[in-house]
Amino acid sequence: MPPQRANGNSRIMLAGLGLLVAAIAVYAAFQLFSPPPSEVDVAYNTVSGEGFYQVMFETEAQPVPVNETHEWVLTVTTPDGAPVTDAEISIDGGMPDHGHGLPTEPRTTENLGEGRYRVEGMRFNMGGHWEIRIGIDAEPGLDEAVFNLDL
Amino acid sequence: MPVARPFLAIGALAGFLALSACDPAPLSADEKAKIASLVIDELAALPAAPANLYADNPQAVAFGKLLFFDQGLSGDGHISCATCHMPDRQFQDGLPRGVGVAQTDRRTMPLAGVGWNVWQFWDGRRDSLWAQALVPLEDRREHAGNRTAYAHFISANHSKAYEAVFGPLPELERMPSDASPLGGAAERAAWTTMSVAERDAVNRVFANIGKAIAAFERTLEPGETRFDRFARAIAAGEAPTGDAAFSDLELEGLRLFIGKANCLECHNGPRFTDDHFHNTGVPPMAADELDRGRAVGIGEVLADPFNCLETYSDAQPGACTALRFMKRDTAVMERAYKTPSLRGVAQRSPYMHAGQIASLDDVIDHYSTAPDAVAGQSEIRGVIFTDRGRKALIAFLKTLDAEGPNDP
């Protein structure tokens, strides 16, 4: 029964084709909708590289805005929670994936006491992954804390 | 089934191609978020202008509008701001380089949305609209006048309108007719004969002319486009209908723009600009006199006697955020220019800071070949576009066309 066989074959082929298209569609949808694997830890609270300081930032602008110059308040403590009140703080950063730095030169403009420091001039000029490095020089030693932000 | 395999593969391929051709994949959540970030509704409220006390004063707006179109405000009585910033052409002139009394070095910039700018000019050498307006007034290729003559002109022609906003004009009778610390030798010499108080009085009138014009310019808002109607629907989770619906080509262009072509790195937000400066490897107009862009603009804005931190500013120093936290690293700003807005861009060729690139086709070529910069480092990494990709990008840019003759 050649015709029937042919028929059966094409039915199998059609079914296979349908399955394949469906599989591709599902895969494509999965690729499109699944968030990219997160490799970085997004936190507003971190420990400096050598472990000398616990550093936290807060900002009134929530979520952290793009194309808007805004302020941060940094809180610096020792790992056991004692405020670091007389630190020299420097701020640097950029987008590692794009090889460019910050569009501004932010700096601390006020020591608010109790380990809190006002930072002015923060600005991000595109969405994506930013790295902010906070240099801290105080009694425990020189150290750097890094914040990873996904905007 | 040794025979069926290739059939199956071909069949699957055909099915897949057909899928992508007549039914583009639905927009992902990430794409939708990016599209929503560009819609005009995302435009923040007009930022305060702390250096200009009169920025939102309706009488200053009306007076500034008058001055913007007043050819009397020039050395030869024939040039106004509108000579180059034409209201029916998105407040620009369509020329490679602006022409007043003579040709300038740069392309006239459109003015829609300038109230939202952080920096003014291609190189950001001014930090406010009012300080910007004073530059063309004394540039010998533009209005070619001088500040003392302008003070006399205001006193003779607009004293009522001026005094209603800024208070009494100073005594000008005994002051020279033409004097300025810039300008020609005679004007500079005349300026040195004036007392400190007289110079201050003239500077104040000059600054106030700028402040009135700035108040008017702040009213020039970017208008809604077809793209905005499309994006608004997408942001609301609805299917765009009527003229808001995009063709497959326009959608493809938009996806390239926010995706593989990386345009969003710089042309982002509802004004399609990050308000920052980038070297994009655009070749100079003339190699002999190299324009260094932002690398020079940084020093100029710091030295400007009319900047936010100086005498004629109305701001508390703390409010001069842009200037205080300005990136001062000139090395990375070599031949960097301010990212222009792309709203209305298809309707205003030629392109770039000196009109170096004639058409949008050539702009896409530029982003595709990504030539090395003659100085500094270009940030552009070349993107290979298919013929359809090029057409798609341009089709998308046209959805940003300004609507109506007076809608910048």
Side-chain angles (χ1 to χ4, degrees):
Chain A
M1 303 177 282
Q4 219 190 351
R5 258 195 76 187
N7 245 343
N9 242 348
S10 66
R11 207 175 299 138
I12 290 167
M13 249 179 71
L14 266 176
L17 207 148
L19 266 175
L20 200 94
V21 169
I24 289 171
V26 167
Y27 177 73
F30 178 77
Q31 283 291 304
L32 283 172
F33 288 106
S34 64
S38 76
E39 287 146 18
V40 289
D41 182 22
V42 181
Y44 293 177
N45 198 330
T46 191
V47 177
S48 60
E50 302 286 341
F52 293 166
Y53 308 104
Q54 178 81 37
V55 187
M56 181 180 82
F57 83 79
E58 295 160 277
T59 167
E60 273 178 26
Q62 282 295 350
V64 174
V66 174
N67 288 345
E68 194 184 303
T69 309
H70 61 286
E71 297 183 9
W72 283 14
V73 172
L74 285 176
T75 304
V76 185
T77 64
T78 59
D80 48 18
V84 178
T85 53
D86 53 356
E88 286 276 343
I89 290 178
S90 64
I91 294 113
D92 196 6
M95 299 189 87
D97 302 345
H98 298 276
H100 64 73
L102 295 173
T104 52
E105 291 180 4
R107 62 176 185 276
T108 50
T109 53
E110 195 180 352
N111 186 335
L112 301 166
E114 292 166 356
R116 287 156 56 82
Y117 302 84
R118 185 188 310 286
V119 176
E120 284 185 81
M122 290 302 303
R123 189 178 180 94
F124 303 100
N125 58 325
M126 65 177 280
H129 176 60
W130 290 84
E131 197 179 270
I132 299 298
R133 298 180 292 275
I134 313 283
I136 303 156
D137 193 1
E139 187 59 30
L142 186 66
D143 206 354
E144 186 179 83
V146 178
F147 291 111
N148 285 294
L149 305 179
D150 277 303
L151 309 181
Chain B
M1 296 190 313
V3 199
R5 269 239 180 89
F7 273 110
L8 208 128
I10 290 166
L13 195 71
F16 189 60
L17 285 180
L19 243 182
S20 51
C22 7
D23 190 11
L27 292 164
S28 71
D30 180 53
E31 283 176 317
K32 285 182 184 170
K34 284 176 172 164
I35 292 167
S37 74
L38 296 168
V39 70
I40 192 79
D41 312 348
E42 284 295 305
L43 194 63
L46 187 62
N52 182 358
L53 203 56
Y54 311 94
D56 300 309
N57 173 329
Q59 273 176 297
V61 171
F63 183 38
K65 183 172 184 178
L66 192 82
L67 294 176
F68 188 91
F69 293 97
D70 190 343
Q71 299 185 341
L73 213 54
S74 65
D76 69 359
H78 290 106
I79 308 285
S80 75
C81 308
T83 302
C84 301
H85 299 285
M86 304 172 181
D88 56 349
R89 304 190 69 160
Q90 298 186 35
F91 287 90
Q92 52 94 55
D93 53 19
L95 299 171
R97 287 178 280 168
V99 181
V101 170
Q103 192 180 50
T104 66
D105 302 329
R106 299 245 179 93
R107 204 191 90 220
T108 305
M109 304 169 91
L111 300 184
V114 283
W116 279 263
N117 284 354
V118 178
W119 304 105
Q120 308 296 336
F121 286 128
W122 286 104
D123 55 9
R125 67 185 181 282
R126 288 297 179 270
D127 67 344
S128 72
L129 278 175
W130 70 265
Q132 186 284 329
L134 307 182
V135 178
L137 287 174
E138 288 198 322
D139 188 309
R140 264 175 285 178
R141 301 160 302 179
E142 300 183 60
H143 296 244
N146 62 77
R147 62 191 71 177
T148 314
Y150 292 139
H152 286 296
F153 173 79
I154 294 291
S155 166
N157 298 279
H158 298 298
S159 62
K160 253 177 111 180
Y162 178 96
E163 292 186 342
V165 180
F166 302 108
L169 277 157
E171 293 285 339
L172 291 162
E173 292 79 49
R174 288 185 13 247
M175 297 203 205
S177 54
D178 296 286
S180 164
L182 309 175
E187 288 163 2
R188 275 179 288 148
W191 186 253
T192 60
T193 67
M194 293 164 63
S195 71
V196 171
E198 284 175 330
R199 292 183 206 172
D200 176 64
V202 168
N203 280 342
R204 203 162 289 282
V205 176
F206 190 41
N208 286 340
I209 291 173
K211 288 176 185 179
I213 294 176
F216 163 62
E217 290 175 295
R218 281 166 63 80
T219 65
L220 307 174
E221 296 180 12
E224 180 177 307
T225 65
R226 252 192 80 215
F227 165 76
D228 297 304
R229 290 190 283 280
F230 168 85
R232 187 176 294 141
I234 297 296
E238 293 161 9
T241 54
D243 92 324
F246 268 18
S247 71
D248 286 352
L249 195 66
E250 288 162 346
L251 185 61
E252 221 173 295
L254 170 58
R255 284 185 130 148
L256 274 173
F257 189 89
I258 62 174
K260 270 194 292 209
N262 302 320
C263 312
L264 218 53
E265 273 180 31
C266 304
H267 299 283
N268 56 38
R271 290 184 300 126
F272 289 76
T273 172
D274 62 352
D275 285 298
H276 194 48
F277 306 87
H278 303 274
N279 181 324
T280 55
V282 173
M285 200 68 197
D288 47 330
E289 219 174 297
L290 195 65
D291 183 331
R292 296 180 56 204
R294 183 61 172 164
V296 168
I298 291 170
E300 289 194 16
V301 69
L302 284 170
D304 175 25
F306 297 104
N307 78 27
C308 184
L309 291 165
E310 294 291 342
T311 319
Y312 304 99
S313 163
D314 300 316
Q316 295 297 315
C320 301
T321 313
L323 204 57
R324 287 168 64 220
F325 304 101
M326 173 172 70
K327 189 173 184 117
R328 296 177 186 219
D329 184 352
T330 54
V332 300
M333 289 289 125
E334 199 62 57
R335 276 189 74 68
Y337 296 89
K338 191 167 74 178
T339 309
S341 172
L342 297 181
R343 289 186 171 271
V345 75
Q347 298 157 304
R348 51 174 156 83
S349 63
Y351 301 108
M352 308 304 172
H353 64 272
Q356 294 99 319
I357 299 186
S359 68
L360 280 183
D361 261 313
D362 298 336
V363 171
I364 308 297
D365 263 347
H366 174 81
Y367 283 112
S368 164
T369 53
D372 282 341
V374 296
Q377 187 74 42
S378 172
E379 289 178 42
I380 301 299
R381 294 150 286 151
V383 183
I384 311 293
F385 296 110
T386 60
D387 271 350
R388 183 168 165 93
R390 286 160 183 275
K391 287 203 186 89
L393 261 178
I394 294 174
F396 160 63
L397 290 174
K398 286 184 175 160
T399 69
L400 291 166
D401 276 359
E403 295 175 349
N406 284 319
D407 182 6

